[in-house]
Amino acid sequence: MSLLPNTAFIDPTGKNRAAVEALLHQTVRLVVEELSHANTRSPLPAPLSTAILKQWAAIPERSVAADVLLAQVRSHILQSMNAAHPGYIGHMDSIPTTMSVIGDLLVAALNNNMLSVEMSPVFSRLEPLVMQQLAAKFGLGAQAGGVMVSGGTLANLQALTVARNVHFDAVEKGIVGLTRQPVFFVSAAAHTSMQKAAMMMGLGSQAAIAIRTNANSQVNIEDLKDQLAKARRANQQPFAIVATAGTTVTGNVDPIEEMGAIARQHNLWFHVDAAYGGALIFSPEHRHLLTGTRQADSITFNPQKWLYVTKTCATVLFKNFDVLKQHFRILAPYMGDDEQWSNLGELTVQGTRHPDILKLWLSLQHIGTAGYAEIIRHNYALTAQFISQIQSRSWLQLASQPQMNLVCFRLAPHGVDRACLNDLNKQLQHYLLSPANQESEQMPDQASSVFLSLPIYRGQRWLKAVLLNPYTSSDTLERLFARIDTFVREQVPADSASVTH
Ligand SMILES: Cc1ncc(COP(=O)(O)O)c(C=O)c1O
């Protein structure tokens, strides 16, 4: 008797079809069952004990029955970040489109490889065509195109590597012969993947020169000009300027147009990190925030964020797609070639790569641009409600004026020592995550729990809400602010000047 379970693989001659179908049905039932009442579980369950995790991690000698495994997977689901909960509003992660879940299952079953055309004959052709259309929506013009990568960090790395290669003709020679240090300019509020890219490119993380921001977390143009001049005086060699469209903590947008003009004037590569805010290409009301992206040489855009595609799903788009062939490509001679279509593994930081294009394509087809516009409209309506709730309470403070569906704020009652605010906001975060009726004997009411994240912003702890989840409603926010009021009544000294108890 074989040591292999009957369903170890899907037999291509159909011999185990019934057993595989039963297993997949069981799995689908489990997923739908658990996700259909995700609102009754905490948005962020407490972590499991290390002892249990170690028990799970042990590698067995003999096959463990599928039933037993699915029972364990149910525990994994119950202990996982629960982004489907309407109160999970702490990060740029949300419930995924159903079609992207299906897309992931399908590509996993097909197990094609984006490394080369022969290893993914459909997806290697579909990806560049969809990328061209996204690039067109950012106004990048007729020569534009792009590739998909696993996340915005890799997208930024690839864009900046191409920028460096173009500027220093570095594909073959590298940068070791340079006598002046290559540097690029990013907002002080930019994502940390900028420093990571500089570090991985061998420039050192200090090569990502931080530009001061205004009260709204947007690049200060005067400081950008000053830093450019300073870098030249210090004998450094600038090669790129990066604008952010949707900063990670406050969702603000840099002055893209002006930054692009400065890049052009100084003959520097212009990259726009629209990992988050890029989704506004689908919003007739708000796409004007992206005006200026047409000047970009490259753009990072993550459909895994505001387009609700399962992780990972990120893109890096180039105004001139051929630049990748001239300034990035490393040929893979062990792969077949195709005159019309590129082996994408030669053009991206990754080699073997998951065909993320299917779930993106399926989501775009199923939801359509009008569907995305509608979701974004809902997100903005909730944001407006959120802001007005904050503004009607003198003890709440906004970190910046939101431009997207991110609201960064904190509890800052007058009269409470500033040094205590970090702790106070941490306590509030904890309080909001706990079930509303935790002291009662009945089942805890997880439906009203809310997860807000607690980022450090300008050296202080703030609370962050990302109003992404299409099931987060006006009622969710009403309940959230009612609980904030209760917390303030119970925890903040009544003599705090502006708190009316
Ligand atoms: C503006 C911005 N850029 C880049 C990234 C990095 O994306 P990823 O986490 O997919 O690598 C993020 C992540 O939140 C981001 O907010």
Side-chain angles (χ1 to χ4, degrees):
M1 208 179 92
S2 168
L3 292 175
L4 282 179
N6 178 31
T7 48
F9 303 95
I10 304 179
D11 186 315
T13 63
K15 285 200 188 96
N16 61 357
R17 181 176 162 166
V20 168
E21 260 180 23
L23 181 54
L24 285 174
H25 278 144
Q26 215 181 327
T27 310
V28 168
R29 260 199 314 276
L30 168 67
V31 169
V32 176
E33 208 171 282
E34 289 306 337
L35 290 181
S36 295
H37 61 91
N39 65 330
T40 60
R41 293 196 308 275
S42 169
L44 202 70
L48 279 164
S49 78
T50 309
I52 295 184
L53 287 166
K54 278 193 174 158
Q55 217 178 324
W56 283 353
I59 301 174
E61 189 190 344
R62 294 293 175 116
S63 164
V64 178
D67 283 355
V68 176
L69 291 176
L70 285 186
Q72 281 201 5
V73 167
R74 191 187 291 273
S75 312
H76 295 185
I77 295 174
L78 300 181
Q79 300 301 320
S80 290
M81 167 186 110
N82 183 12
H85 190 296
Y88 181 97
I89 54 174
H91 288 295
M92 294 166 163
D93 294 73
S94 176
I95 189 169
T97 63
T98 311
M99 271 300 165
S100 63
V101 176
I102 291 170
D104 258 343
L105 175 65
L106 290 171
V107 292
L110 294 174
N111 210 19
N112 276 213
N113 189 339
M114 297 305 281
L115 177 58
S116 72
V117 178
E118 65 189 2
M119 296 167 92
S120 51
V122 176
F123 304 133
S124 279
R125 291 172 167 91
L126 189 58
E127 181 178 298
L129 294 175
V130 175
M131 292 305 106
Q132 275 168 11
Q133 291 189 58
L134 289 181
K137 288 196 177 293
F138 283 100
L140 290 188
Q143 307 306 316
V147 288
M148 299 188 77
V149 286
S150 293
T153 300
L154 287 186
N156 284 334
L157 172 66
Q158 172 138 13
L160 287 164
T161 305
V162 171
R164 181 203 62 184
N165 290 355
V166 168
H167 202 90
F168 300 105
D169 193 18
V171 170
E172 288 179 1
K173 296 187 305 237
I175 49 164
V176 281
L178 298 180
T179 49
R180 297 193 290 150
Q181 191 205 5
V183 292
F184 59 95
F185 302 89
V186 297
S187 159
H191 189 261
T192 54
S193 52
M194 297 298 160
Q195 284 112 15
K196 201 185 260 183
M199 177 270 285
M200 286 195 283
M201 286 156 66
L203 310 178
S205 60
Q206 288 177 354
I209 295 180
I211 306 302
R212 272 210 321 271
T213 53
N214 64 18
N216 254 0
S217 266
Q218 299 159 309
V219 153
N220 173 320
I221 290 291
E222 288 314 308
D223 194 51
L224 172 59
K225 290 179 185 164
D226 289 350
Q227 294 289 346
L228 259 165
K230 199 168 140 198
R232 295 209 196 277
R233 281 198 303 276
N235 212 24
Q236 294 172 321
Q237 217 169 332
F239 68 93
I241 292 177
V242 179
T244 307
T247 53
T248 311
V249 178
T250 61
N252 288 112
V253 185
D254 281 336
I256 303 176
E257 196 92 61
E258 284 167 274
M259 292 173 76
I262 293 174
R264 226 179 20 256
Q265 190 189 341
H266 291 265
N267 203 19
L268 303 176
W269 187 273
F270 184 44
H271 177 65
V272 179
D273 181 358
Y276 189 74
L280 293 184
I281 53 174
F282 295 111
S283 166
E285 298 88 354
H286 300 283
R287 70 164 67 105
H288 63 89
L289 287 172
L290 299 177
T291 309
T293 57
R294 65 183 185 284
Q295 300 190 60
D297 294 297
S298 55
I299 296 176
T300 288
F301 170 43
N302 279 15
Q304 73 194 17
K305 297 183 185 289
W306 209 346
L307 292 191
Y308 306 89
V309 178
T310 51
K311 289 177 268 292
T312 57
C313 186
T315 69
V316 54
L317 309 170
F318 292 88
K319 175 170 269 165
N320 175 5
F321 187 67
D322 279 349
V323 88
L324 279 182
K325 297 179 185 161
Q326 290 148 22
H327 294 277
F328 194 87
R329 178 182 243 162
I330 300 289
L331 287 171
Y334 39 85
M335 288 298 150
D337 54 11
D338 184 296
E339 266 184 28
Q340 194 187 348
W341 303 95
S342 300
N343 287 331
L344 295 171
E346 297 172 359
L347 299 179
T348 56
V349 281
Q350 291 164 269
T352 289
R353 178 162 60 87
H354 189 254
D356 294 325
I357 185 60
L358 183 65
K359 60 195 184 183
L360 173 60
W361 176 80
L362 279 170
S363 299
L364 290 170
Q365 298 291 318
H366 196 222
I367 293 196
T369 58
Y372 276 118
E374 184 177 304
I375 301 175
I376 293 172
R377 217 168 278 132
H378 169 70
N379 302 150
Y380 268 97
L382 284 186
T383 309
Q385 182 189 345
F386 206 109
I387 296 168
S388 95
Q389 292 279 11
I390 289 179
Q391 287 172 338
S392 66
R393 290 162 174 81
S394 63
W395 59 93
L396 293 179
Q397 180 189 3
L398 275 173
S400 80
Q401 278 309 316
Q403 292 176 281
M404 297 190 178
N405 55 345
L406 265 78
V407 187
C408 188
F409 70 107
R410 69 176 175 174
L411 180 56
H414 295 287
V416 171
D417 187 349
R418 302 275 105 180
C420 301
L421 290 184
N422 284 355
D423 275 348
L424 187 64
N425 281 279
K426 214 175 195 169
Q427 284 164 26
L428 175 57
Q429 182 208 33
H430 194 256
Y431 173 81
L432 296 172
L433 189 55
S434 61
N437 59 345
Q438 59 183 326
E439 291 86 17
S440 80
E441 293 293 308
Q442 13 164 323
M443 287 283 286
D445 173 19
Q446 296 283 9
S448 57
S449 304
V450 168
F451 168 63
L452 298 170
S453 59
L454 197 71
I456 294 182
Y457 176 67
R458 300 197 195 279
Q460 297 280 307
R461 289 277 175 199
W462 294 71
L463 294 162
K464 176 170 106 170
V466 188
L467 299 160
L468 256 187
N469 192 321
Y471 293 95
T472 305
S473 65
S474 209
D475 287 349
T476 319
L477 301 193
E478 288 294 331
R479 283 198 300 270
L480 165 65
F481 281 92
R483 292 197 73 199
I484 292 179
D485 290 346
T486 308
F487 177 85
V488 169
R489 245 187 338 266
E490 292 173 358
Q491 305 294 329
V492 177
D495 57 354
S496 292
S498 302
V499 180
T500 40
H501 282 234

